[in-house]
Amino acid sequence: MRPISVLLADDQPMIRTGFRFILEAEADIRVVGEAADGQEAVEETRRLAPDVVLMDIRMPRMDGVEATRLIAESGLSSRVIILTTFDLDQHVVDALRAGASSFLVKDGPADSLVAAIRTVAAGDAVLAPRVTRRLLARFAGMPSETAPPVPPQLDILTGREVDVLRTLARGLSNAEIAAELGVGETTVKTHIGHILDKFHLRDRVQAVILAYDSGLVAPHTAHRPDRG
């Protein structure tokens, strides 16, 4: 199989060198280029079309949020993983809104970086349930004791697709959604695919943000015990 191609975008050369050292030890990952700021990251993404861009969120000339937005709007298949020093600050939220598929803290373990690249390159998003709750609380309005009604902007979804979107917004995996709704995992994947297609979304993260932005779910209804 073709190795996963990765572009490193960070204004600190030592950080880029460290990531390159980690990634080039993996047989299925190849670093194809580097960028020292957001503008260069966009240019190199257009030139190299990497599978994954590791994007620092704070860079000169153009920050990682704007660079992510331009890459997402360009129609390129490259997916962005945001690199941040601070866990889930407002810049990270903005980057996920802009089209990032995941975010990682820079001082996290190397195996998490490698796993995230493989997951995102395969077309999925990396967002653990506990992170989902913290992230989505930023988007939602006042807590509600009952599930809010389906907002008009989601009228193009079927009833079952709405059910899947609600459970997806709670951070459930495909297997957990299937068990809760009493359907097969393949059916869940099909419904998620339809949701993404109908709203032209890149991945699950964008679908979750849609659920909260539209008012379909609120923090209280999204709560579930933290399983780590």
Side-chain angles (χ1 to χ4, degrees):
M1 295 179 63
R2 181 179 65 86
I4 300 167
S5 56
V6 177
L7 174 69
L8 305 177
D10 195 296
D11 62 327
Q12 300 182 52
M14 289 184 65
I15 294 291
R16 298 199 304 271
T17 299
F19 284 136
R20 180 182 283 273
F21 179 80
I22 292 170
L23 298 179
E24 289 188 341
E26 304 296 324
D28 60 335
I29 297 175
R30 181 167 61 96
V31 176
V32 295
E34 298 185 12
D37 58 58
Q39 183 173 323
E40 188 177 359
V42 174
E43 294 169 354
E44 288 298 280
T45 299
R46 289 171 176 163
R47 184 176 73 87
L48 298 170
D51 297 313
V52 176
V53 181
L54 285 183
M55 182 84 73
D56 184 19
I57 207 160
R58 293 175 176 84
M59 291 185 290
R61 287 210 295 173
M62 179 187 295
D63 65 20
V65 176
E66 182 60 20
T68 297
R69 180 175 293 108
L70 292 175
I71 290 170
E73 291 176 351
S74 70
L76 294 169
S77 60
S78 302
R79 293 178 176 269
V80 176
I81 297 176
I82 287 293
L83 299 169
T84 178
T85 305
F86 304 102
D87 187 5
L88 199 60
D89 65 7
Q90 184 58 45
H91 294 290
V92 173
V93 173
D94 292 341
L96 291 169
R97 280 184 180 276
S101 294
S102 179
F103 77 92
L104 294 172
V105 180
K106 284 186 177 181
D107 60 0
D111 56 351
S112 294
L113 171 65
V114 173
I117 287 173
R118 288 173 178 150
T119 300
V120 168
D124 208 344
V126 182
L127 211 58
R130 69 176 185 277
V131 176
T132 303
R133 290 196 303 279
R134 290 179 9 245
L135 166 66
L136 297 178
R138 302 288 190 95
F139 301 131
M142 296 298 293
S144 171
E145 290 296 328
T146 59
V150 179
Q153 57 265 49
L154 300 184
D155 281 348
I156 61 174
L157 297 179
T158 66
R160 183 54 86 186
E161 287 166 356
V162 169
D163 293 339
V164 169
L165 183 57
R166 276 199 174 106
T167 53
L168 189 64
R170 288 162 48 203
L172 273 65
S173 67
N174 287 355
E176 291 170 328
I177 294 172
E180 180 158 320
L181 299 181
V183 298
E185 282 192 59
T186 301
T187 300
V188 171
K189 292 178 182 178
T190 299
H191 286 314
I192 292 174
H194 289 165
I195 294 168
L196 300 184
D197 289 342
K198 287 181 177 180
F199 289 97
H200 307 290
L201 305 173
R202 289 171 67 87
D203 52 41
R204 298 167 76 101
V205 172
Q206 301 301 303
V208 167
I209 291 173
L210 169 69
Y212 275 78
D213 277 343
S214 68
L216 180 66
V217 287
H220 184 84
T221 60
H223 178 73
R224 63 189 296 222
D226 191 348
R227 301 178 308 159

